[in-house]
Amino acid sequence: MAEEQDKSQQTEEPTQKKIEDARKKGQIVKSREPATAISFLLFGLLSVAGVGSYAMTRLDAVMYTYLGGQWHDAFSVDAMQRILVDIVIEVALILLPFFVPIILLSLLVSFAVGQPVLTFDPLKPKMERISLIKGIKRVFSLRSLVELLKSVLKLVIIAVVCWVTVSFYEVEALNATFMDPQTIAGLAVDSSVWLMLACGALFFFIALADVLYQRWEHLKGLRMSIKEVRDEMKESEGDPHQKGRIRQIQMEQSRRRMMSDVPTADVVITNPTHIAVALKYEHGTSSAPVVVAKGQGKIAEKIRQIARESRVPIRENKILARSLFKSVKVGGEIPEHLYEAVAIILAEIFSLRGTV
């Protein structure tokens, strides 16, 4: 019941991270139908393209040799073994030009469909694989039903195509016993080519539908609940609450460092209550006065309080305070267009210091 409830809650499409994690575990889109369709089509196309002529020539030679009475050895064990080995080699040479490209192209198509990955995770022992209940569920699952329907459909297609092909070559097949080996070989190759091409064309549509279904089922099995999506976001991007707490701590630390620099300032410019900017100028160290602290509201009030306690001069200048607050960051030098206004204030303060 809990498992069904979890399945019903999996309403969200899988994230890219979920898909990649499943792929690393060997859970990919799997379909054997494209390889089957490619095998039939490529076999037929290779036959038409010229490999069929090669196969027919080799097959003609084999049939002429072993059905035309061209070997004269006695019916001994050694002779039969030698004949069997020769036939196996000849059949292999006939089929090799077909099987090599078919295997290579089938592997390429399988890779394109599912992008296989090398992993040993599926080999790990899991209790659910030996569970009788889960085994029964897998037997009677939708996937099993679809695989059964595909198998039945393929059998029906092959049976129908074979029946149509045999019907087309019915007269030739009935007269095969009166034909020479070369004609029989040609008949076998021609019928095989048409059989493969017809099956391949029909299996192509089955493969296309199966790939679409397998991808749909794969993504459906990876669907996530809203809670899983949120947990993944927290894991990959960090808990928003935790990140907010970290930012708050960083801002508090930066504010404390800024407040600790207020007593070292030469002057605090205010507007007079909403904004406060603390300036410091060290001749020979910086080319222009530097903003060591700034703030508005309660922060501005705190800056003024520390300035009074530290006996840092406070000067009211609304326009200058707003300009400094907007245009200069803490630790930055004031812009050139504010040099004159700030210089007047600093000159006054340095003059007063010199008279003390």
Side-chain angles (χ1 to χ4, degrees), residues 69-214:
Q70 299 302 313
W71 55 279
H72 306 285
D73 293 337
F75 287 97
S76 63
V77 175
D78 293 337
M80 296 303 295
Q81 288 179 346
R82 187 170 62 255
I83 292 171
L84 181 60
V85 171
D86 291 342
I87 292 177
V88 170
I89 294 175
E90 289 293 337
V91 172
L93 292 175
I94 293 173
L95 297 179
L96 196 61
F98 294 98
F99 283 172
V100 171
I102 286 174
I103 292 173
L104 294 178
L105 190 57
S106 297
L107 292 174
L108 181 62
V109 171
S110 299
F111 181 83
V113 171
Q115 296 182 349
V117 62
L118 180 61
T119 177
F120 297 99
D121 189 80
L123 301 179
K124 295 179 181 179
K126 296 181 180 180
M127 292 301 297
E128 61 182 18
R129 294 177 181 172
I130 60 176
S131 172
L132 180 61
I133 297 177
K134 291 185 178 295
I136 294 175
K137 287 183 178 180
R138 283 195 295 269
V139 171
F140 294 98
S141 63
L142 178 61
R143 175 184 288 271
S144 300
L145 178 60
V146 171
E147 292 296 328
L148 176 62
L149 291 177
K150 285 193 302 181
S151 300
V152 172
L153 181 60
K154 287 190 289 186
L155 286 175
V156 170
I157 288 176
I158 293 176
V160 171
V161 172
C162 287
W163 178 76
V164 172
T165 304
V166 170
S167 299
F168 186 78
Y169 288 96
E170 181 178 4
V171 177
E172 291 85 346
L174 293 175
N175 297 326
T177 55
F178 304 103
M179 297 178 182
D180 58 90
Q182 184 177 4
T183 305
I184 296 176
L187 177 62
V189 172
D190 289 342
S191 59
S192 298
V193 169
W194 285 109
L195 180 65
M196 293 297 175
L197 288 176
C199 288
L202 294 174
F203 281 4
F204 172 80
F205 295 101
I206 296 178
L208 180 61
D210 186 62
V211 169
L212 296 176
Y213 168 77
Q214 295 295 342

Side-chain angles (χ1 to χ4, degrees), residues 6 15 27-28 42 62 129 158 168 184 213 240 251 288 290 307:
D6 291 341
T15 61
Q27 300 176 15
I28 58 175
L42 194 56
V62 171
R129 294 177 181 172
I158 293 176
F168 186 78
I184 296 176
Y213 168 77
M251 290 177 62
V290 176

Side-chain angles (χ1 to χ4, degrees), residues 8 11 31 36 43 49 78 147 211 231 259 263 265 267 273 302 313 323 343:
S8 65
T11 57
S31 176
T36 303
F43 189 93
D78 293 337
E147 292 296 328
V211 169
D231 291 343
M259 293 302 180
V267 66
T273 57
K302 183 68 174 178
S323 298

Side-chain angles (χ1 to χ4, degrees), residues 263-310:
T264 67
D266 293 315
V267 66
V268 173
I269 311 295
T270 65
N271 78 333
T273 57
H274 295 90
I275 295 176
V277 181
L279 299 176
K280 180 179 181 180
Y281 176 66
E282 295 181 356
H283 182 69
T285 302
S286 58
S287 60
V290 176
V291 175
V292 296
K294 71 174 185 177
Q296 56 184 348
K298 292 184 177 181
I299 298 177
E301 182 181 348
K302 183 68 174 178
I303 291 174
R304 291 195 303 272
Q305 178 186 347
I306 296 175
R308 285 192 293 268
E309 293 173 354
S310 304

